[in-house]
Amino acid sequence: METNSLNPDKWVDLYADYLFNYAVTRVSDVEIAKDLVQDTFIAGLKSAKNFKGDAAERTWLIAILKRKVIDHYRKINSKKGKAEVRMSYSSQTDAEGDWLEERIADPNSNFENDALENEELGLAIQNCISKLPKKQAQVFTMKTIEGMETEDICNALGINASNLWVMIHRARTGLMGCLNQNWF
């Protein structure tokens, strides 16, 4: 097996755009995304001695960035670090809604204890996914439900990372609309 090495002098040139696109799709704020990428590079430099070479350099940096994104959400609201999809319950309000994962995981909520409601929600989500364009549904399922890595999905489907994140965004928007109309 090939052992990978780190080359921090080239990180900005090779990975800054990729890491930025990854971060901005998760935090939806350009300045925060820039800060997270910078923090990732700093953390990478600090922990370079721990790099074993088992993963590619970019994969290792993405793993660091994922933790930085989670830490960012935990910092602003401890529950947001667990979430990926934000659901809005009403199109008539500017309220941002709740994180669906928060509602399910909240120990003080009755939501997770209602097996029938959870089953109905699962069916509603599957129904909404089936209404998405085929490629969007496939990408959303692979990334969000199956938890596949971006690079693996791109290789499997012959798309680039930018296309993947556009499809994920469109799928999430479609799912929110569908769930708002049919569930909430």
Side-chain angles (χ1 to χ4, degrees):
M1 183 174 148
E2 180 183 331
T3 301
N4 297 295
S5 62
L6 294 180
N7 192 353
D9 295 336
K10 294 186 179 184
W11 285 356
V12 173
D13 292 333
L14 294 175
Y15 308 120
D17 289 340
Y18 183 82
L19 294 172
F20 172 77
N21 288 333
Y22 182 93
V24 81
T25 60
R26 282 154 180 80
V27 298
S28 301
D29 184 297
V30 171
E31 292 306 314
I32 292 172
K34 288 178 184 177
D35 290 344
L36 291 172
V37 171
Q38 183 177 14
D39 292 347
T40 298
F41 288 146
I42 292 169
L45 288 171
K46 288 181 180 177
S47 62
K49 62 186 173 291
N50 299 328
F51 181 73
K52 295 178 181 140
D54 296 336
E57 191 174 44
R58 185 176 85 169
T59 303
W60 183 71
L61 289 168
I62 284 289
I64 294 170
L65 179 57
K66 284 179 183 179
R67 287 190 295 276
K68 295 295 178 189
V69 170
I70 290 169
D71 290 346
H72 163 74
Y73 280 117
R74 285 185 178 150
K75 183 177 170 184
I76 62 172
N77 180 341
S78 64
K79 293 181 183 178
K80 287 184 183 175
K82 300 174 189 158
E84 289 244 348
V85 180
R86 187 155 197 122
M87 297 308 223
S88 175
Y89 301 120
S90 172
S91 58
Q92 288 82 31
T93 179
D94 290 334
E96 293 184 17
D98 290 334
W99 293 93
L100 185 59
E101 292 88 344
E102 279 182 21
R103 289 190 62 206
I104 293 170
D106 182 359
N108 299 317
S109 168
N110 292 329
F111 190 77
E112 80 283 358
N113 296 323
D114 190 342
L116 179 60
E117 189 170 2
N118 279 342
E119 184 177 335
E120 289 173 358
L121 176 59
L123 292 172
I125 291 171
Q126 288 301 322
N127 182 46
C128 288
I129 289 173
S130 72
K131 292 179 181 179
L132 293 172
K134 184 179 179 185
K135 195 108 176 193
Q136 281 181 19
Q138 186 178 21
V139 168
F140 180 84
T141 300
M142 292 170 83
K143 183 68 179 166
T144 306
I145 296 173
E146 296 172 8
M148 290 179 65
E149 292 294 323
T150 299
E151 191 172 350
D152 295 335
I153 297 169
C154 290
N155 290 337
L157 300 179
I159 59 175
N160 64 41
S162 295
N163 290 347
L164 179 132
W165 290 110
V166 167
M167 284 189 261
I168 293 284
H169 172 74
R170 289 179 180 165
R172 287 177 176 165
T173 302
L175 286 173
M176 279 195 313
C178 180
L179 287 172
N180 282 332
Q181 188 175 27
N182 299 309
W183 175 253
F184 298 112

Short mmCIF file of all heavy atoms in Angstrom, two decimals, residues 77-115:
data_model
loop_
_atom_site.label_atom_id
_atom_site.label_comp_id
_atom_site.label_asym_id
_atom_site.label_seq_id
_atom_site.Cartn_x
_atom_site.Cartn_y
_atom_site.Cartn_z
N ASN A 77 -24.39 26.88 18.87
CA ASN A 77 -25.54 26.22 19.48
C ASN A 77 -25.22 24.74 19.54
O ASN A 77 -25.19 24.09 18.52
CB ASN A 77 -26.80 26.47 18.67
CG ASN A 77 -28.02 25.80 19.26
OD1 ASN A 77 -27.93 24.89 20.08
ND2 ASN A 77 -29.17 26.26 18.86
N SER A 78 -25.02 24.24 20.71
CA SER A 78 -24.48 22.89 20.86
C SER A 78 -25.24 21.83 20.07
O SER A 78 -24.66 20.85 19.66
CB SER A 78 -24.42 22.51 22.33
OG SER A 78 -25.71 22.45 22.88
N LYS A 79 -26.50 22.01 19.83
CA LYS A 79 -27.25 20.98 19.11
C LYS A 79 -27.04 21.04 17.60
O LYS A 79 -27.23 20.05 16.92
CB LYS A 79 -28.74 21.12 19.40
CG LYS A 79 -29.08 20.79 20.83
CD LYS A 79 -30.56 20.91 21.06
CE LYS A 79 -30.91 20.66 22.51
NZ LYS A 79 -32.32 20.81 22.75
N LYS A 80 -26.65 22.17 17.05
CA LYS A 80 -26.55 22.30 15.60
C LYS A 80 -25.40 21.49 15.02
O LYS A 80 -25.41 21.19 13.85
CB LYS A 80 -26.40 23.77 15.20
CG LYS A 80 -27.65 24.55 15.34
CD LYS A 80 -27.45 25.96 14.84
CE LYS A 80 -28.71 26.77 15.06
NZ LYS A 80 -28.50 28.17 14.69
N GLY A 81 -24.42 21.13 15.80
CA GLY A 81 -23.29 20.38 15.28
C GLY A 81 -23.67 19.01 14.77
O GLY A 81 -22.94 18.42 13.99
N LYS A 82 -24.81 18.49 15.17
CA LYS A 82 -25.24 17.17 14.76
C LYS A 82 -26.07 17.19 13.49
O LYS A 82 -26.43 16.17 12.97
CB LYS A 82 -26.09 16.54 15.86
CG LYS A 82 -25.36 16.39 17.17
CD LYS A 82 -26.32 15.91 18.23
CE LYS A 82 -25.66 15.97 19.57
NZ LYS A 82 -26.60 16.01 20.65
N ALA A 83 -26.43 18.35 13.02
CA ALA A 83 -27.43 18.45 11.98
C ALA A 83 -26.86 18.76 10.61
O ALA A 83 -25.81 19.34 10.49
CB ALA A 83 -28.45 19.50 12.37
N GLU A 84 -27.58 18.39 9.60
CA GLU A 84 -27.23 18.73 8.23
C GLU A 84 -28.39 19.43 7.53
O GLU A 84 -28.17 20.26 6.69
CB GLU A 84 -26.91 17.45 7.44
CG GLU A 84 -25.63 16.82 7.84
CD GLU A 84 -24.61 16.82 6.75
OE1 GLU A 84 -24.97 17.12 5.61
OE2 GLU A 84 -23.46 16.54 7.03
N VAL A 85 -29.61 19.05 7.82
CA VAL A 85 -30.75 19.57 7.08
C VAL A 85 -31.61 20.44 7.98
O VAL A 85 -32.05 20.01 9.04
CB VAL A 85 -31.62 18.41 6.53
CG1 VAL A 85 -32.80 18.94 5.75
CG2 VAL A 85 -30.77 17.50 5.65
N ARG A 86 -31.85 21.66 7.57
CA ARG A 86 -32.68 22.58 8.32
C ARG A 86 -34.07 22.58 7.70
O ARG A 86 -34.21 22.74 6.49
CB ARG A 86 -32.08 23.98 8.30
CG ARG A 86 -32.83 24.91 9.20
CD ARG A 86 -31.93 26.05 9.66
NE ARG A 86 -32.52 26.66 10.79
CZ ARG A 86 -31.96 26.78 11.95
NH1 ARG A 86 -30.76 26.34 12.14
NH2 ARG A 86 -32.57 27.36 12.93
N MET A 87 -35.09 22.40 8.50
CA MET A 87 -36.45 22.34 7.99
C MET A 87 -37.23 23.57 8.41
O MET A 87 -37.23 23.94 9.57
CB MET A 87 -37.17 21.10 8.53
CG MET A 87 -36.51 19.83 8.08
SD MET A 87 -36.32 19.83 6.32
CE MET A 87 -36.78 18.22 5.92
N SER A 88 -37.90 24.16 7.48
CA SER A 88 -38.78 25.29 7.77
C SER A 88 -40.20 24.76 7.71
O SER A 88 -40.57 24.03 6.81
CB SER A 88 -38.58 26.37 6.71
OG SER A 88 -39.49 27.41 6.91
N TYR A 89 -41.01 25.14 8.70
CA TYR A 89 -42.34 24.57 8.79
C TYR A 89 -43.40 25.37 8.08
O TYR A 89 -44.49 24.90 7.86
CB TYR A 89 -42.73 24.39 10.25
CG TYR A 89 -41.77 23.50 10.97
CD1 TYR A 89 -41.06 23.94 12.06
CD2 TYR A 89 -41.52 22.22 10.51
CE1 TYR A 89 -40.15 23.13 12.70
CE2 TYR A 89 -40.62 21.40 11.13
CZ TYR A 89 -39.94 21.86 12.23
OH TYR A 89 -39.04 21.06 12.84
N SER A 90 -43.10 26.59 7.75
CA SER A 90 -44.12 27.42 7.15
C SER A 90 -43.49 28.35 6.13
O SER A 90 -42.52 29.03 6.41
CB SER A 90 -44.84 28.25 8.22
OG SER A 90 -45.69 29.19 7.61
N SER A 91 -44.07 28.38 4.95
CA SER A 91 -43.56 29.28 3.93
C SER A 91 -44.06 30.71 4.15
O SER A 91 -43.61 31.63 3.51
CB SER A 91 -43.97 28.79 2.54
OG SER A 91 -45.38 28.70 2.46
N GLN A 92 -45.00 30.89 5.09
CA GLN A 92 -45.53 32.23 5.36
C GLN A 92 -44.72 32.99 6.40
O GLN A 92 -45.05 34.10 6.75
CB GLN A 92 -46.99 32.14 5.87
CG GLN A 92 -47.99 31.76 4.81
CD GLN A 92 -48.05 30.27 4.57
OE1 GLN A 92 -47.83 29.49 5.47
NE2 GLN A 92 -48.34 29.87 3.34
N THR A 93 -43.67 32.40 6.90
CA THR A 93 -42.88 33.05 7.94
C THR A 93 -41.41 33.09 7.54
O THR A 93 -40.96 32.28 6.75
CB THR A 93 -43.05 32.33 9.29
OG1 THR A 93 -42.25 33.00 10.25
CG2 THR A 93 -42.61 30.88 9.24
N ASP A 94 -40.69 34.04 8.12
CA ASP A 94 -39.25 34.11 7.88
C ASP A 94 -38.48 33.27 8.88
O ASP A 94 -37.26 33.23 8.86
CB ASP A 94 -38.77 35.57 8.00
CG ASP A 94 -39.27 36.42 6.84
OD1 ASP A 94 -39.53 35.84 5.77
OD2 ASP A 94 -39.40 37.64 7.01
N ALA A 95 -39.18 32.61 9.79
CA ALA A 95 -38.52 31.79 10.79
C ALA A 95 -37.70 30.71 10.09
O ALA A 95 -38.11 30.16 9.08
CB ALA A 95 -39.54 31.15 11.72
N GLU A 96 -36.55 30.42 10.66
CA GLU A 96 -35.66 29.47 10.02
C GLU A 96 -36.06 28.02 10.24
O GLU A 96 -35.60 27.15 9.54
CB GLU A 96 -34.23 29.69 10.52
CG GLU A 96 -33.66 31.02 10.07
CD GLU A 96 -32.23 31.18 10.48
OE1 GLU A 96 -31.58 30.17 10.83
OE2 GLU A 96 -31.76 32.32 10.47
N GLY A 97 -36.87 27.72 11.22
CA GLY A 97 -37.26 26.34 11.46
C GLY A 97 -36.33 25.65 12.43
O GLY A 97 -35.44 26.25 13.02
N ASP A 98 -36.52 24.36 12.59
CA ASP A 98 -35.72 23.55 13.49
C ASP A 98 -34.84 22.63 12.68
O ASP A 98 -35.12 22.30 11.54
CB ASP A 98 -36.62 22.66 14.35
CG ASP A 98 -37.41 23.44 15.38
OD1 ASP A 98 -36.94 24.52 15.76
OD2 ASP A 98 -38.47 22.98 15.77
N TRP A 99 -33.79 22.17 13.32
CA TRP A 99 -33.01 21.09 12.73
C TRP A 99 -33.79 19.81 12.98
O TRP A 99 -34.11 19.48 14.11
CB TRP A 99 -31.64 21.02 13.38
CG TRP A 99 -30.79 22.20 13.08
CD1 TRP A 99 -30.67 23.33 13.83
CD2 TRP A 99 -29.95 22.40 11.95
NE1 TRP A 99 -29.81 24.21 13.24
CE2 TRP A 99 -29.35 23.65 12.08
CE3 TRP A 99 -29.65 21.63 10.82
CZ2 TRP A 99 -28.47 24.15 11.13
CZ3 TRP A 99 -28.76 22.14 9.90
CH2 TRP A 99 -28.19 23.37 10.06
N LEU A 100 -34.12 19.11 11.92
CA LEU A 100 -34.92 17.90 12.05
C LEU A 100 -34.23 16.90 12.96
O LEU A 100 -34.86 16.28 13.81
CB LEU A 100 -35.14 17.30 10.66
CG LEU A 100 -36.06 16.08 10.59
CD1 LEU A 100 -37.44 16.43 11.14
CD2 LEU A 100 -36.16 15.58 9.17
N GLU A 101 -32.90 16.77 12.81
CA GLU A 101 -32.17 15.83 13.65
C GLU A 101 -32.26 16.22 15.12
O GLU A 101 -32.26 15.36 15.99
CB GLU A 101 -30.71 15.76 13.21
CG GLU A 101 -30.51 15.13 11.85
CD GLU A 101 -30.59 16.14 10.71
OE1 GLU A 101 -31.08 17.25 10.91
OE2 GLU A 101 -30.17 15.80 9.60
N GLU A 102 -32.33 17.51 15.42
CA GLU A 102 -32.46 17.96 16.81
C GLU A 102 -33.77 17.51 17.40
O GLU A 102 -33.84 17.06 18.53
CB GLU A 102 -32.43 19.49 16.88
CG GLU A 102 -31.08 20.09 16.83
CD GLU A 102 -31.18 21.60 16.95
OE1 GLU A 102 -32.19 22.13 17.44
OE2 GLU A 102 -30.21 22.25 16.55
N ARG A 103 -34.83 17.66 16.62
CA ARG A 103 -36.15 17.30 17.13
C ARG A 103 -36.19 15.81 17.45
O ARG A 103 -36.78 15.40 18.43
CB ARG A 103 -37.23 17.64 16.10
CG ARG A 103 -37.44 19.13 15.96
CD ARG A 103 -38.65 19.46 15.16
NE ARG A 103 -39.85 18.96 15.80
CZ ARG A 103 -40.96 18.65 15.16
NH1 ARG A 103 -41.02 18.77 13.86
NH2 ARG A 103 -42.01 18.21 15.81
N ILE A 104 -35.57 15.01 16.61
CA ILE A 104 -35.59 13.57 16.83
C ILE A 104 -34.71 13.19 18.02
O ILE A 104 -35.05 12.32 18.81
CB ILE A 104 -35.14 12.82 15.56
CG1 ILE A 104 -36.19 13.03 14.47
CG2 ILE A 104 -34.93 11.34 15.81
CD1 ILE A 104 -35.79 12.56 13.10
N ALA A 105 -33.58 13.87 18.19
CA ALA A 105 -32.62 13.51 19.23
C ALA A 105 -32.86 14.21 20.56
O ALA A 105 -32.22 13.89 21.54
CB ALA A 105 -31.20 13.81 18.75
N ASP A 106 -33.77 15.16 20.62
CA ASP A 106 -34.01 15.93 21.84
C ASP A 106 -34.67 15.04 22.90
O ASP A 106 -35.78 14.57 22.71
CB ASP A 106 -34.91 17.13 21.53
CG ASP A 106 -35.17 18.01 22.74
OD1 ASP A 106 -34.67 17.68 23.85
OD2 ASP A 106 -35.88 19.02 22.59
N PRO A 107 -33.99 14.80 24.04
CA PRO A 107 -34.54 13.91 25.06
C PRO A 107 -35.80 14.47 25.71
O PRO A 107 -36.59 13.73 26.28
CB PRO A 107 -33.41 13.75 26.08
CG PRO A 107 -32.53 14.93 25.86
CD PRO A 107 -32.69 15.32 24.42
N ASN A 108 -36.01 15.77 25.63
CA ASN A 108 -37.20 16.38 26.21
C ASN A 108 -38.37 16.45 25.24
O ASN A 108 -39.43 16.95 25.56
CB ASN A 108 -36.87 17.79 26.72
CG ASN A 108 -35.80 17.74 27.78
OD1 ASN A 108 -35.83 16.89 28.66
ND2 ASN A 108 -34.84 18.65 27.69
N SER A 109 -38.15 15.97 24.04
CA SER A 109 -39.19 16.03 23.02
C SER A 109 -39.95 14.72 22.98
O SER A 109 -39.40 13.65 23.18
CB SER A 109 -38.54 16.29 21.65
OG SER A 109 -39.45 16.07 20.62
N ASN A 110 -41.22 14.81 22.70
CA ASN A 110 -42.02 13.60 22.51
C ASN A 110 -41.89 13.07 21.09
O ASN A 110 -42.36 12.00 20.78
CB ASN A 110 -43.49 13.90 22.81
CG ASN A 110 -43.71 14.20 24.27
OD1 ASN A 110 -43.01 13.67 25.12
ND2 ASN A 110 -44.68 15.05 24.57
N PHE A 111 -41.26 13.85 20.23
CA PHE A 111 -41.15 13.51 18.81
C PHE A 111 -40.51 12.14 18.61
O PHE A 111 -41.00 11.32 17.85
CB PHE A 111 -40.36 14.60 18.09
CG PHE A 111 -40.37 14.49 16.60
CD1 PHE A 111 -41.48 14.88 15.87
CD2 PHE A 111 -39.27 14.00 15.91
CE1 PHE A 111 -41.49 14.80 14.49
CE2 PHE A 111 -39.27 13.92 14.54
CZ PHE A 111 -40.38 14.32 13.83
N GLU A 112 -39.37 11.89 19.30
CA GLU A 112 -38.66 10.65 19.08
C GLU A 112 -39.37 9.46 19.72
O GLU A 112 -39.10 8.33 19.37
CB GLU A 112 -37.22 10.74 19.60
CG GLU A 112 -37.06 10.56 21.10
CD GLU A 112 -37.45 11.79 21.91
OE1 GLU A 112 -37.81 12.82 21.34
OE2 GLU A 112 -37.39 11.71 23.13
N ASN A 113 -40.29 9.73 20.64
CA ASN A 113 -40.98 8.65 21.33
C ASN A 113 -42.24 8.20 20.60
O ASN A 113 -42.84 7.22 20.97
CB ASN A 113 -41.35 9.08 22.75
CG ASN A 113 -40.11 9.36 23.58
OD1 ASN A 113 -39.11 8.66 23.44
ND2 ASN A 113 -40.16 10.37 24.41
N ASP A 114 -42.63 8.90 19.59
CA ASP A 114 -43.83 8.57 18.86
C ASP A 114 -43.46 7.73 17.64
O ASP A 114 -43.17 8.26 16.58
CB ASP A 114 -44.55 9.86 18.44
CG ASP A 114 -45.93 9.59 17.88
OD1 ASP A 114 -46.20 8.42 17.50
OD2 ASP A 114 -46.73 10.54 17.81
N ALA A 115 -43.47 6.41 17.83
CA ALA A 115 -43.03 5.50 16.77
C ALA A 115 -43.88 5.67 15.52
O ALA A 115 -43.36 5.64 14.40
CB ALA A 115 -43.09 4.06 17.26
#
